[in-house]
Amino acid sequence: MITGGSDPRFLRRLLRMDDAFARGDERPDANFYAAKRMVSHLDATALATVEALVGGLVTEEAPVILDLMASWDSHLPASLKPSRVAGLGMNREELVANPALSERIIHDLNGDPRLPLGDDTFDVVLNVVSVEYLTRPEEVFREVGRVLKPGGLFLVIFSNRWFPPKVVRVWEDASEAERLELVEEYFRASGAFGHPGSFASMGLPRPRSDRYYASGVPSDPVFAVFAEKKGATPGRAARVAPTDPSRIELDAEAVNTRKARVAETMACPYCGKALSKWEVPDDPCIDWNNDFLYLCFNDACPFVVRGWRFMWEQGIEGHSYRYLFNPATGASTTVPIRGLHDLKPGIVEGG
Ligand SMILES: C[S@@+](CC[C@H](N)C(=O)[O-])C[C@H]1O[C@@H](n2cnc3c(N)ncnc32)[C@H](O)[C@@H]1O
């Protein structure tokens, strides 16, 4: 269970604020979604995590699925063989382009949160990168509870980007950790579900082919909150989220042994890749103790990947650090980064 550590009373007060669900663009959603957007909302690494999450949590054979707030991709892994997939969204062309769907429903949940679907119908309701647009989430979550079969799964997945005119204020103002709590609160407030579980994956490198690779931002984080509708068959096995690919286990003893030999190997003790010679920046405020230091510039290094989460857990989003070795002092230390391309201009080619 991941928690951001804020006081739930504070969150409830935020939710009661008059403008909690206000948006920049208050015109009917039908206007905004009139034109199709056949875009990927996440990079390929994050999309693979989403599919693994869906595949891991959906345990039913031939499940009946509702993709709530659907577009052209329902993120169902090929291994899943649903008997029926209903997609509910705002743009018909996007839904028609979605090959997973066996039926398509155009319906504005902010205009009318009631789902035009029968009670106890679905094994699974999915909601991917869309919960931030709901202006009446409690009612929608209650409705999801109504259409799910007892013990059915509601899986809400989100990241950290959205269409700015349509996001609700409380979402925009919250931190990433608070957003997890916000969705947990939506589940609780609806009264329809058991205790929610959560998942957070972050810090994996963004694929080079991704349009935002040059920004240096790692792969889009994948957050999820999920719960079963009350009334599951007693004794049924609990659903367990798959292992988060960004949680890389380290053997501390092996790392320490390798650290003691860095002057000899000039290899990163965390990933084993060769360290790069790095010219220190000309900054009078920092005494680097040497003109050249040695850094690990492997973006997939477990030290860097785990660093994004470590900082996030301290409440510092969007930061990590790299391993640094000073040959003059023999010291192993770290240097903070906000993006994967920070510090790279100082690499001494062939050094
Ligand atoms: C960022 S897209 C995500 C689409 C899809 N779930 C995915 O993972 O690619 C947000 C989706 O939410 C749907 N949506 C937004 N506002 C909605 C509303 N008021 N009622 C129903 N669906 C809505 C839109 O149709 C849009 O496709």
Side-chain angles (χ1 to χ4, degrees):
M1 190 71 187
I2 297 148
T3 53
S6 35
D7 185 337
R9 286 170 302 182
F10 174 67
L11 204 65
R12 284 184 206 125
R13 188 163 300 175
L14 272 186
L15 288 170
R16 280 201 299 270
M17 284 171 61
D18 285 347
D19 64 351
F21 294 101
R23 301 165 301 164
D25 179 356
E26 290 289 13
R27 288 171 297 175
D29 287 356
N31 297 8
F32 187 82
Y33 293 102
K36 65 172 187 233
R37 291 181 178 81
M38 308 299 278
V39 294
S40 268
H41 300 289
L42 299 172
D43 66 87
T45 301
L47 286 171
T49 303
V50 169
E51 279 201 13
L53 194 54
V54 174
L57 284 169
V58 178
T59 50
E60 287 84 353
E61 298 254 323
V64 180
I65 298 178
L66 169 62
D67 181 358
L68 195 66
M69 308 181 80
S71 179
W72 63 274
D73 183 4
S74 285
H75 314 287
L76 306 180
S79 56
L80 205 64
K81 305 285 179 217
S83 56
R84 173 183 169 197
V85 186
L88 182 149
M90 292 294 287
N91 184 283
R92 185 166 300 280
E93 280 177 276
E94 289 176 23
L95 297 186
V96 166
N98 186 330
L101 302 183
S102 48
E103 62 211 82
R104 296 161 177 89
I105 306 157
I106 304 298
H107 181 84
D108 178 355
L109 291 168
N110 291 333
D112 180 1
R114 287 172 302 174
L115 295 173
L117 295 157
D119 297 357
D120 302 338
T121 304
F122 295 93
D123 297 298
V124 176
V125 177
L126 288 179
N127 179 270
V128 184
V129 293
S130 301
V131 68
E132 59 267 35
Y133 306 117
L134 289 176
T135 59
R136 297 159 73 177
E138 193 178 320
E139 291 163 85
V140 172
F141 275 53
R142 202 172 306 127
E143 275 291 280
V144 170
R146 180 182 64 74
V147 302
L148 272 174
K149 296 175 187 169
L153 171 74
F154 186 21
L155 172 55
V156 180
I157 299 176
F158 52 94
S159 186
N160 64 357
R161 48 190 170 108
W162 46 76
F163 300 134
K166 285 293 180 188
V167 68
V168 294
R169 187 150 304 156
V170 67
W171 190 270
E172 205 171 21
D173 288 351
S175 68
E176 289 173 359
E178 286 166 342
R179 286 180 201 129
L180 280 164
E181 294 179 1
L182 202 57
V183 178
E184 286 175 15
E185 184 56 29
Y186 293 168
F187 272 101
R188 264 191 296 273
S190 74
F193 298 91
H195 189 68
S198 60
F199 173 95
S201 176
M202 65 189 74
L204 292 167
R206 184 174 288 271
R208 270 182 183 273
S209 55
D210 188 76
R211 61 199 287 231
Y212 299 118
Y213 174 78
S215 71
V217 175
S219 170
D220 298 310
V222 175
F223 302 107
V225 184
F226 54 92
E228 286 183 349
K229 178 176 171 177
K230 288 175 184 167
T233 314
R236 220 196 55 191
R239 297 176 199 262
V240 182
T243 310
D244 166 10
S246 71
R247 283 188 190 271
I248 306 167
E249 291 303 321
L250 283 174
D251 176 343
E253 206 180 308
V255 169
N256 284 334
T257 307
R258 290 196 291 265
K259 238 184 222 174
R261 295 185 54 223
V262 173
E264 201 183 313
T265 62
M266 294 309 278
C268 173
Y270 295 91
C271 67
K273 297 262 190 249
L275 298 176
S276 301
K277 189 174 181 180
W278 180 70
E279 185 171 12
V280 305
D282 189 11
D283 183 345
C285 299
I286 306 175
D287 181 5
W288 293 94
N289 224 340
N290 208 336
D291 289 342
F292 296 97
L293 298 170
Y294 286 80
L295 264 77
C296 172
F297 278 104
N298 173 14
D299 294 343
C301 176
F303 191 62
V304 179
V305 171
R306 290 160 53 109
W308 299 103
R309 178 191 303 278
F310 181 81
M311 299 300 280
W312 185 86
E313 284 171 353
Q314 320 304 308
I316 306 168
E317 290 172 7
H319 289 70
S320 182
Y321 35 74
R322 292 191 181 278
Y323 171 78
L324 180 157
F325 176 67
N326 185 338
T329 60
S332 281
T333 177
T334 62
V335 56
I337 51 169
R338 295 197 63 180
L340 288 165
H341 305 326
D342 291 2
L343 313 177
K344 284 182 180 170
I347 296 175
V348 180
E349 290 304 332

